[in-house]
């Protein structure tokens, strides 16, 4: 998993509440277990007409936001089903941080496991960042995870909270597999001890 330390990029505004995971990545894109290529389905229903043609009206299709790295969204982002494809699709599109007042628990957890930082802020702080994001390509923000700050386009900062363990994992690029691999020496030591003390437990070829 790619480390998250300091992220500077354009912030795209999505002032919609209750954006569910089906809106983020519709069911027809869930057939793959690959984490790449899903950006083509990101917000599909919001980006296309009834014939499946991209309208260009959605915020991420506008020139100012094509390279957005941050999404400033409305309340209860990522609700609905538990599909992990939702953060995969965001990540594949280059989104590394989503800011909202609240997230669905499963989506929130899946973000951390895939290198995306979900930031929860009070409504008044979110409103300020939403206004900043409306400025288009001028809406460049810097997210500093170590300092737990968001630097606005005008240079002012907003602080945010993040659980220490999740922060550690993001800063060091550790997903569940990475965390397990840190314990390889202990795992091998345990297996060697069990093989000595309980040889009958040794698996057969």
């Amino acid at each position: 998993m790619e480390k998250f330390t300091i992220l500077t990029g354009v912030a795209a505004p999505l002032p919609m509440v209750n954006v569910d995971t089906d809106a983020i990545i519709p069911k027809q894109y869930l057939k793959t277990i690959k984490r790449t290529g899903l950006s083509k389905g990101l917000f599909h229903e919001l980006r296309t007409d009834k014939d499946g043609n991209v309208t260009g009206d959605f915020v991420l299709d506008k020139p100012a936001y094509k390279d957005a790295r941050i999404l400033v969204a409305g309340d209860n982002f990522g609700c609905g089903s538990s599909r992990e494809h939702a953060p995969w699709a965001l990540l594949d599109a280059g989104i590394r941080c989503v800011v909202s007042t609240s997230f669905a628990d499963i989506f929130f957890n899946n973000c951390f496991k895939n290198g995306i930082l979900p930031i929860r802020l009070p409504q008044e702080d979110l409103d300020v960042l939403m206004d900043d994001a409306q400025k288009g390509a001028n809406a460049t923000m810097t997210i500093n995870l170590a300092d737990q700050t968001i630097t606005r386009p005008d240079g002012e900062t907003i602080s945010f909270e993040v659980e220490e363990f999740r922060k550690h994992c993001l800063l060091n690029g550790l997903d569940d597999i990475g965390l397990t691999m840190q314990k390889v020496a202990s795992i091998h030591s345990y297996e060697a001890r069990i093989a000595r003390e309980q040889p009958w437990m040794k698996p057969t070829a």
Side-chain angles (χ1 to χ4, degrees):
M1 186 174 76
E2 184 179 353
K3 294 180 181 180
F4 190 114
T5 52
I6 296 176
L7 172 69
T8 297
V10 171
L14 188 64
M16 299 172 61
V17 300
N18 302 320
V19 175
D20 62 26
T21 52
D22 189 56
I24 298 172
I25 185 75
K27 59 184 181 302
Q28 62 265 33
Y29 292 97
L30 306 186
K31 298 175 183 178
T32 180
I33 58 172
K34 295 181 179 179
R35 302 188 184 193
T36 57
L38 288 169
S39 59
K40 64 183 180 182
L42 182 65
F43 297 115
H44 177 81
E45 300 297 331
L46 296 173
R47 304 174 89 159
T48 60
D49 59 22
K50 59 182 179 61
D51 297 318
N53 301 310
V54 176
T55 64
D57 296 330
F58 187 70
V59 61
L60 294 179
D61 293 319
K62 295 180 179 179
Y65 299 108
K66 281 187 175 292
D67 297 319
R69 307 293 309 282
I70 302 160
L71 190 64
V72 182
D75 188 54
N76 196 30
F77 190 82
C79 57
S81 68
S82 60
R83 63 192 70 175
E84 196 169 6
H85 292 67
W88 291 356
L90 288 166
L91 195 62
D92 193 52
I95 302 295
R96 292 295 310 277
C97 178
V98 182
V99 186
S100 178
T101 53
S102 67
F103 298 89
D105 287 343
I106 295 176
F107 175 83
F108 187 76
N109 293 332
N110 282 339
C111 280
F112 283 105
K113 292 176 182 294
N114 288 280
I116 295 175
L117 173 62
I119 296 176
R120 290 185 289 212
L121 291 177
Q123 186 65 56
E124 56 268 27
D125 287 339
L126 186 78
D127 290 341
V128 169
L129 295 181
M130 191 70 77
D131 287 342
D132 286 339
Q134 299 284 354
K135 298 173 183 175
N138 293 322
T140 299
M141 301 179 189
T142 296
I143 314 294
N144 188 316
L145 178 55
D147 292 344
Q148 296 178 208
T149 58
I150 302 170
T151 302
R152 298 174 53 210
D154 65 3
E156 293 187 1
T157 61
I158 293 175
S159 298
F160 62 89
E161 297 296 322
V162 60
E163 184 184 346
E164 195 61 35
F165 175 71
R166 296 182 189 275
K167 177 179 177 178
H168 168 80
C169 290
L170 277 181
L171 286 172
N172 293 280
L174 297 172
D175 57 11
D176 288 348
I177 294 175
L179 285 167
T180 301
M181 293 303 293
Q182 288 190 318
K183 305 294 184 182
V184 166
S186 297
I187 293 170
H188 288 169
S189 176
Y190 171 79
E191 290 177 337
R193 180 174 62 81
I194 291 298
R196 292 192 306 271
E197 297 176 357
Q198 303 178 31
W200 61 87
M201 296 292 291
K202 185 177 180 180
T204 57

